[in-house]
Tab-separated table of all heavy atoms in Angstrom:
chain	number	residue	atom	x	y	z
A	23	MET	N	11.464	0.354	-2.498
A	23	MET	CA	10.919	0.047	-1.178
A	23	MET	C	10.761	1.309	-0.343
A	23	MET	O	10.898	1.302	0.868
A	23	MET	CB	11.803	-0.977	-0.471
A	23	MET	CG	11.831	-2.300	-1.200
A	23	MET	SD	12.900	-3.504	-0.421
A	23	MET	CE	14.503	-2.857	-0.852
A	24	ALA	N	10.460	2.437	-1.008
A	24	ALA	CA	10.326	3.718	-0.320
A	24	ALA	C	9.214	3.649	0.719
A	24	ALA	O	8.223	2.947	0.552
A	24	ALA	CB	10.045	4.820	-1.330
A	25	ARG	N	9.399	4.379	1.767
A	25	ARG	CA	8.436	4.391	2.861
A	25	ARG	C	7.766	5.756	2.969
A	25	ARG	O	8.192	6.728	2.373
A	25	ARG	CB	9.146	4.069	4.185
A	25	ARG	CG	9.803	2.710	4.222
A	25	ARG	CD	8.738	1.612	4.343
A	25	ARG	NE	9.344	0.295	4.437
A	25	ARG	CZ	9.308	-0.592	3.470
A	25	ARG	NH1	8.701	-0.327	2.347
A	25	ARG	NH2	9.858	-1.767	3.624
A	26	GLY	N	6.723	5.804	3.772
A	26	GLY	CA	6.040	7.063	4.051
A	26	GLY	C	5.443	7.678	2.802
A	26	GLY	O	4.819	6.997	1.993
A	27	ASP	N	5.641	8.986	2.631
A	27	ASP	CA	5.057	9.701	1.496
A	27	ASP	C	5.602	9.242	0.150
A	27	ASP	O	5.006	9.507	-0.886
A	27	ASP	CB	5.284	11.207	1.642
A	27	ASP	CG	4.467	11.809	2.771
A	27	ASP	OD1	3.450	11.186	3.165
A	27	ASP	OD2	4.838	12.886	3.262
A	28	ASP	N	6.748	8.565	0.153
A	28	ASP	CA	7.333	8.075	-1.093
A	28	ASP	C	6.883	6.664	-1.454
A	28	ASP	O	7.275	6.121	-2.478
A	28	ASP	CB	8.861	8.106	-1.009
A	28	ASP	CG	9.387	9.523	-0.930
A	28	ASP	OD1	8.780	10.420	-1.535
A	28	ASP	OD2	10.408	9.730	-0.248
A	29	ASN	N	6.052	6.063	-0.608
A	29	ASN	CA	5.502	4.730	-0.860
A	29	ASN	C	4.583	4.836	-2.082
A	29	ASN	O	3.612	5.597	-2.075
A	29	ASN	CB	4.734	4.284	0.383
A	29	ASN	CG	4.053	2.947	0.248
A	29	ASN	OD1	3.435	2.642	-0.768
A	29	ASN	ND2	4.129	2.162	1.294
A	30	ARG	N	4.897	4.112	-3.151
A	30	ARG	CA	4.144	4.231	-4.410
A	30	ARG	C	2.666	3.878	-4.264
A	30	ARG	O	1.816	4.493	-4.908
A	30	ARG	CB	4.759	3.336	-5.486
A	30	ARG	CG	6.052	3.821	-6.028
A	30	ARG	CD	6.497	2.894	-7.141
A	30	ARG	NE	7.777	3.315	-7.678
A	30	ARG	CZ	8.296	2.826	-8.782
A	30	ARG	NH1	7.663	1.892	-9.457
A	30	ARG	NH2	9.459	3.244	-9.208
A	31	THR	N	2.358	2.885	-3.460
A	31	THR	CA	0.954	2.508	-3.289
A	31	THR	C	0.189	3.630	-2.603
A	31	THR	O	-0.885	4.037	-3.060
A	31	THR	CB	0.835	1.198	-2.491
A	31	THR	OG1	1.501	0.159	-3.202
A	31	THR	CG2	-0.616	0.812	-2.278
A	32	ILE	N	0.729	4.143	-1.522
A	32	ILE	CA	0.049	5.223	-0.802
A	32	ILE	C	-0.037	6.477	-1.664
A	32	ILE	O	-1.072	7.144	-1.687
A	32	ILE	CB	0.723	5.483	0.550
A	32	ILE	CG1	0.457	4.280	1.455
A	32	ILE	CG2	0.230	6.776	1.177
A	32	ILE	CD1	1.010	4.345	2.826
A	33	ALA	N	1.022	6.801	-2.383
A	33	ALA	CA	0.987	7.968	-3.274
A	33	ALA	C	-0.144	7.828	-4.290
A	33	ALA	O	-0.878	8.794	-4.548
A	33	ALA	CB	2.328	8.135	-3.978
A	34	TYR	N	-0.311	6.643	-4.854
A	34	TYR	CA	-1.398	6.424	-5.814
A	34	TYR	C	-2.756	6.575	-5.137
A	34	TYR	O	-3.657	7.234	-5.666
A	34	TYR	CB	-1.279	5.038	-6.451
A	34	TYR	CG	-2.387	4.781	-7.437
A	34	TYR	CD1	-2.266	5.196	-8.754
A	34	TYR	CD2	-3.570	4.150	-7.054
A	34	TYR	CE1	-3.289	4.990	-9.667
A	34	TYR	CE2	-4.595	3.934	-7.953
A	34	TYR	CZ	-4.455	4.359	-9.258
A	34	TYR	OH	-5.475	4.160	-10.149
A	35	LEU	N	-2.927	5.966	-3.971
A	35	LEU	CA	-4.212	6.036	-3.272
A	35	LEU	C	-4.608	7.480	-2.984
A	35	LEU	O	-5.785	7.835	-3.060
A	35	LEU	CB	-4.161	5.227	-1.977
A	35	LEU	CG	-3.981	3.720	-2.140
A	35	LEU	CD1	-3.772	3.055	-0.784
A	35	LEU	CD2	-5.154	3.093	-2.874
A	36	LYS	N	-3.633	8.326	-2.694
A	36	LYS	CA	-3.913	9.741	-2.401
A	36	LYS	C	-4.361	10.512	-3.635
A	36	LYS	O	-4.947	11.578	-3.511
A	36	LYS	CB	-2.693	10.405	-1.782
A	36	LYS	CG	-2.430	9.947	-0.365
A	36	LYS	CD	-1.215	10.648	0.223
A	36	LYS	CE	-0.974	10.256	1.657
A	36	LYS	NZ	0.194	10.960	2.224
A	37	THR	N	-4.098	9.982	-4.846
A	37	THR	CA	-4.524	10.678	-6.067
A	37	THR	C	-5.963	10.369	-6.438
A	37	THR	O	-6.545	11.051	-7.272
A	37	THR	CB	-3.634	10.310	-7.274
A	37	THR	OG1	-3.852	8.951	-7.640
A	37	THR	CG2	-2.170	10.576	-6.981
A	38	LEU	N	-6.546	9.334	-5.852
A	38	LEU	CA	-7.906	8.940	-6.214
A	38	LEU	C	-8.912	9.971	-5.728
A	38	LEU	O	-8.719	10.629	-4.711
A	38	LEU	CB	-8.234	7.570	-5.614
A	38	LEU	CG	-7.373	6.408	-6.097
A	38	LEU	CD1	-7.745	5.141	-5.346
A	38	LEU	CD2	-7.531	6.221	-7.591
A	39	GLN	N	-10.011	10.069	-6.449
A	39	GLN	CA	-11.087	10.979	-6.063
A	39	GLN	C	-12.380	10.214	-5.910
A	39	GLN	O	-12.849	9.622	-6.871
A	39	GLN	CB	-11.244	12.090	-7.108
A	39	GLN	CG	-10.061	13.014	-7.189
A	39	GLN	CD	-9.736	13.679	-5.861
A	39	GLN	OE1	-10.637	14.109	-5.138
A	39	GLN	NE2	-8.465	13.732	-5.523
A	40	PRO	N	-12.951	10.167	-4.754
A	40	PRO	CA	-12.366	10.651	-3.507
A	40	PRO	C	-11.297	9.668	-3.022
A	40	PRO	O	-11.405	8.460	-3.263
A	40	PRO	CB	-13.542	10.680	-2.541
A	40	PRO	CG	-14.456	9.610	-3.027
A	40	PRO	CD	-14.285	9.575	-4.525
A	41	PRO	N	-10.288	10.181	-2.326
A	41	PRO	CA	-9.266	9.273	-1.803
A	41	PRO	C	-9.862	8.387	-0.714
A	41	PRO	O	-10.750	8.822	0.027
A	41	PRO	CB	-8.201	10.214	-1.229
A	41	PRO	CG	-8.872	11.513	-1.042
A	41	PRO	CD	-10.014	11.572	-2.004
A	42	PRO	N	-9.431	7.144	-0.639
A	42	PRO	CA	-9.996	6.274	0.397
A	42	PRO	C	-9.606	6.769	1.794
A	42	PRO	O	-8.474	7.185	2.019
A	42	PRO	CB	-9.373	4.903	0.113
A	42	PRO	CG	-8.183	5.174	-0.736
A	42	PRO	CD	-8.422	6.464	-1.444
A	43	GLN	N	-10.568	6.748	2.687
A	43	GLN	CA	-10.317	7.098	4.080
A	43	GLN	C	-9.920	5.858	4.863
A	43	GLN	O	-9.306	5.959	5.911
A	43	GLN	CB	-11.561	7.738	4.702
A	43	GLN	CG	-11.990	9.004	4.001
A	43	GLN	CD	-10.906	10.062	4.010
A	43	GLN	OE1	-10.375	10.408	5.053
A	43	GLN	NE2	-10.545	10.558	2.829
A	44	LYS	N	-10.334	4.718	4.337
A	44	LYS	CA	-10.061	3.446	5.002
A	44	LYS	C	-9.898	2.366	3.938
A	44	LYS	O	-10.547	2.405	2.907
A	44	LYS	CB	-11.222	3.086	5.934
A	44	LYS	CG	-11.015	1.793	6.692
A	44	LYS	CD	-11.980	1.707	7.860
A	44	LYS	CE	-11.929	0.401	8.581
A	44	LYS	NZ	-10.698	0.047	9.207
A	45	ILE	N	-9.011	1.443	4.199
A	45	ILE	CA	-8.919	0.215	3.413
A	45	ILE	C	-9.502	-0.856	4.325
A	45	ILE	O	-8.953	-1.136	5.384
A	45	ILE	CB	-7.463	-0.126	3.036
A	45	ILE	CG1	-6.807	1.001	2.240
A	45	ILE	CG2	-7.400	-1.448	2.286
A	45	ILE	CD1	-7.381	1.235	0.862
A	46	ASP	N	-10.632	-1.404	3.941
A	46	ASP	CA	-11.334	-2.356	4.806
A	46	ASP	C	-10.634	-3.703	4.882
A	46	ASP	O	-10.594	-4.319	5.946
A	46	ASP	CB	-12.770	-2.560	4.296
A	46	ASP	CG	-13.523	-1.256	4.260
A	46	ASP	OD1	-13.824	-0.727	5.343
A	46	ASP	OD2	-13.788	-0.754	3.150
A	47	HIS	N	-10.110	-4.151	3.756
A	47	HIS	CA	-9.527	-5.494	3.681
A	47	HIS	C	-8.163	-5.413	2.988
A	47	HIS	O	-8.035	-4.772	1.946
A	47	HIS	CB	-10.430	-6.431	2.889
A	47	HIS	CG	-11.863	-6.361	3.288
A	47	HIS	ND1	-12.345	-6.921	4.437
A	47	HIS	CD2	-12.912	-5.758	2.688
A	47	HIS	CE1	-13.634	-6.688	4.532
A	47	HIS	NE2	-14.006	-5.980	3.481
A	48	VAL	N	-7.189	-6.085	3.560
A	48	VAL	CA	-5.874	-6.222	2.941
A	48	VAL	C	-5.619	-7.709	2.755
A	48	VAL	O	-5.806	-8.496	3.684
A	48	VAL	CB	-4.767	-5.590	3.816
A	48	VAL	CG1	-3.384	-6.017	3.345
A	48	VAL	CG2	-4.886	-4.074	3.809
A	49	VAL	N	-5.204	-8.080	1.554
A	49	VAL	CA	-4.887	-9.470	1.244
A	49	VAL	C	-3.425	-9.537	0.816
A	49	VAL	O	-3.008	-8.826	-0.105
A	49	VAL	CB	-5.780	-10.012	0.101
A	49	VAL	CG1	-5.394	-11.441	-0.243
A	49	VAL	CG2	-7.248	-9.903	0.457
A	50	LEU	N	-2.653	-10.370	1.492
A	50	LEU	CA	-1.280	-10.641	1.086
A	50	LEU	C	-1.253	-12.030	0.481
A	50	LEU	O	-1.488	-13.026	1.165
A	50	LEU	CB	-0.313	-10.562	2.278
A	50	LEU	CG	1.125	-10.991	1.978
A	50	LEU	CD1	1.754	-10.119	0.892
A	50	LEU	CD2	1.959	-10.976	3.248
A	51	SER	N	-0.959	-12.105	-0.813
A	51	SER	CA	-0.963	-13.402	-1.495
A	51	SER	C	0.134	-14.317	-0.969
A	51	SER	O	-0.101	-15.496	-0.733
A	51	SER	CB	-0.817	-13.216	-2.997
A	51	SER	OG	0.423	-12.606	-3.312
A	52	HIS	N	1.341	-13.763	-0.791
A	52	HIS	CA	2.459	-14.511	-0.231
A	52	HIS	C	3.559	-13.521	0.122
A	52	HIS	O	3.648	-12.444	-0.464
A	52	HIS	CB	2.953	-15.603	-1.189
A	52	HIS	CG	3.442	-15.095	-2.500
A	52	HIS	ND1	2.592	-14.661	-3.492
A	52	HIS	CD2	4.694	-14.943	-2.974
A	52	HIS	CE1	3.304	-14.263	-4.531
A	52	HIS	NE2	4.590	-14.426	-4.247
A	53	PRO	N	4.399	-13.847	1.093
A	53	PRO	CA	5.345	-12.874	1.632
A	53	PRO	C	6.683	-12.781	0.888
A	53	PRO	O	7.747	-12.998	1.465
A	53	PRO	CB	5.545	-13.353	3.075
A	53	PRO	CG	5.385	-14.828	2.990
A	53	PRO	CD	4.342	-15.050	1.944
A	54	HIS	N	6.613	-12.438	-0.375
A	54	HIS	CA	7.828	-12.147	-1.135
A	54	HIS	C	7.916	-10.641	-1.309
A	54	HIS	O	6.898	-9.945	-1.296
A	54	HIS	CB	7.817	-12.837	-2.499
A	54	HIS	CG	7.989	-14.310	-2.401
A	54	HIS	ND1	7.814	-15.146	-3.477
A	54	HIS	CD2	8.314	-15.120	-1.363
A	54	HIS	CE1	8.025	-16.403	-3.107
A	54	HIS	NE2	8.326	-16.401	-1.837
A	55	ARG	N	9.144	-10.146	-1.495
A	55	ARG	CA	9.366	-8.695	-1.568
A	55	ARG	C	8.446	-7.998	-2.565
A	55	ARG	O	7.959	-6.899	-2.298
A	55	ARG	CB	10.817	-8.403	-1.976
A	55	ARG	CG	11.787	-8.526	-0.841
A	55	ARG	CD	13.180	-8.119	-1.225
A	55	ARG	NE	13.201	-6.737	-1.696
A	55	ARG	CZ	14.206	-6.209	-2.362
A	55	ARG	NH1	15.262	-6.924	-2.646
A	55	ARG	NH2	14.161	-4.961	-2.739
A	56	ASP	N	8.220	-8.599	-3.715
A	56	ASP	CA	7.414	-7.938	-4.736
A	56	ASP	C	5.912	-8.021	-4.461
A	56	ASP	O	5.101	-7.626	-5.299
A	56	ASP	CB	7.742	-8.492	-6.127
A	56	ASP	CG	7.543	-9.995	-6.251
A	56	ASP	OD1	7.583	-10.696	-5.221
A	56	ASP	OD2	7.371	-10.465	-7.381
A	57	HIS	N	5.541	-8.461	-3.260
A	57	HIS	CA	4.135	-8.514	-2.864
A	57	HIS	C	3.881	-7.862	-1.502
A	57	HIS	O	2.760	-7.459	-1.220
A	57	HIS	CB	3.642	-9.965	-2.832
A	57	HIS	CG	3.630	-10.584	-4.186
A	57	HIS	ND1	2.513	-10.608	-4.984
A	57	HIS	CD2	4.625	-11.160	-4.897
A	57	HIS	CE1	2.818	-11.190	-6.130
A	57	HIS	NE2	4.096	-11.533	-6.104
A	58	VAL	N	4.911	-7.760	-0.648
A	58	VAL	CA	4.685	-7.331	0.743
A	58	VAL	C	5.365	-6.017	1.133
A	58	VAL	O	4.921	-5.359	2.064
A	58	VAL	CB	5.111	-8.439	1.739
A	58	VAL	CG1	6.616	-8.598	1.807
A	58	VAL	CG2	4.536	-8.192	3.118
A	59	GLU	N	6.411	-5.595	0.466
A	59	GLU	CA	7.277	-4.520	0.962
A	59	GLU	C	6.567	-3.209	1.293
A	59	GLU	O	6.953	-2.522	2.227
A	59	GLU	CB	8.410	-4.236	-0.015
A	59	GLU	CG	9.473	-5.300	-0.034
A	59	GLU	CD	10.283	-5.417	1.247
A	59	GLU	OE1	10.395	-4.438	2.006
A	59	GLU	OE2	10.811	-6.506	1.491
A	60	LEU	N	5.548	-2.813	0.550
A	60	LEU	CA	4.891	-1.531	0.796
A	60	LEU	C	3.656	-1.654	1.695
A	60	LEU	O	3.049	-0.651	2.053
A	60	LEU	CB	4.508	-0.872	-0.536
A	60	LEU	CG	5.676	-0.666	-1.507
A	60	LEU	CD1	5.184	-0.087	-2.821
A	60	LEU	CD2	6.762	0.210	-0.906
A	61	LEU	N	3.300	-2.871	2.085
A	61	LEU	CA	2.110	-3.082	2.913
A	61	LEU	C	2.201	-2.552	4.345
A	61	LEU	O	1.181	-2.118	4.885
A	61	LEU	CB	1.731	-4.568	2.948
A	61	LEU	CG	0.839	-5.042	1.818
A	61	LEU	CD1	0.604	-6.545	1.932
A	61	LEU	CD2	-0.472	-4.295	1.767
A	62	PRO	N	3.346	-2.563	5.022
A	62	PRO	CA	3.350	-2.047	6.395
A	62	PRO	C	2.827	-0.618	6.507
A	62	PRO	O	2.042	-0.311	7.416
A	62	PRO	CB	4.823	-2.139	6.807
A	62	PRO	CG	5.363	-3.266	5.991
A	62	PRO	CD	4.646	-3.151	4.670
A	63	ASP	N	3.204	0.262	5.582
A	63	ASP	CA	2.694	1.633	5.609
A	63	ASP	C	1.190	1.674	5.387
A	63	ASP	O	0.484	2.479	5.996
A	63	ASP	CB	3.362	2.484	4.528
A	63	ASP	CG	4.783	2.888	4.870
A	63	ASP	OD1	5.165	2.792	6.048
A	63	ASP	OD2	5.506	3.298	3.946
A	64	VAL	N	0.687	0.826	4.498
A	64	VAL	CA	-0.750	0.777	4.223
A	64	VAL	C	-1.512	0.372	5.488
A	64	VAL	O	-2.501	1.001	5.865
A	64	VAL	CB	-1.068	-0.189	3.064
A	64	VAL	CG1	-2.567	-0.398	2.918
A	64	VAL	CG2	-0.457	0.316	1.764
A	65	VAL	N	-1.033	-0.667	6.154
A	65	VAL	CA	-1.686	-1.141	7.380
A	65	VAL	C	-1.646	-0.055	8.455
A	65	VAL	O	-2.646	0.210	9.128
A	65	VAL	CB	-1.035	-2.451	7.881
A	65	VAL	CG1	-1.521	-2.817	9.268
A	65	VAL	CG2	-1.319	-3.580	6.893
A	66	THR	N	-0.523	0.598	8.596
A	66	THR	CA	-0.383	1.643	9.612
A	66	THR	C	-1.286	2.834	9.324
A	66	THR	O	-1.946	3.361	10.233
A	66	THR	CB	1.091	2.105	9.697
A	66	THR	OG1	1.893	0.978	10.063
A	66	THR	CG2	1.267	3.216	10.696
């Protein structure tokens, strides 16, 4: 559940070429830890 630069989702997104400047749509299937924990950093 690492936050900030250690957030696995954000770290992956930063490796893409070109890296996304914006995520237009975020979908949360359901609010369980294995689906929501890293989303607050993405939204921010």
Side-chain angles (χ1 to χ4, degrees):
M23 296 178 287
R25 299 287 182 252
D27 290 339
D28 293 326
N29 177 317
R30 287 184 181 191
T31 299
I32 291 181
Y34 180 86
L35 295 173
K36 288 181 177 181
T37 69
L38 298 176
Q39 294 303 318
Q43 300 301 307
K44 181 164 174 62
I45 302 293
D46 302 290
H47 313 285
V48 166
V49 178
L50 173 60
S51 62
H52 61 285
H54 289 170
R55 280 185 59 195
D56 57 337
H57 294 265
V58 71
E59 287 293 335
L60 304 177
L61 273 177
D63 285 343
V64 171
V65 170
T66 299

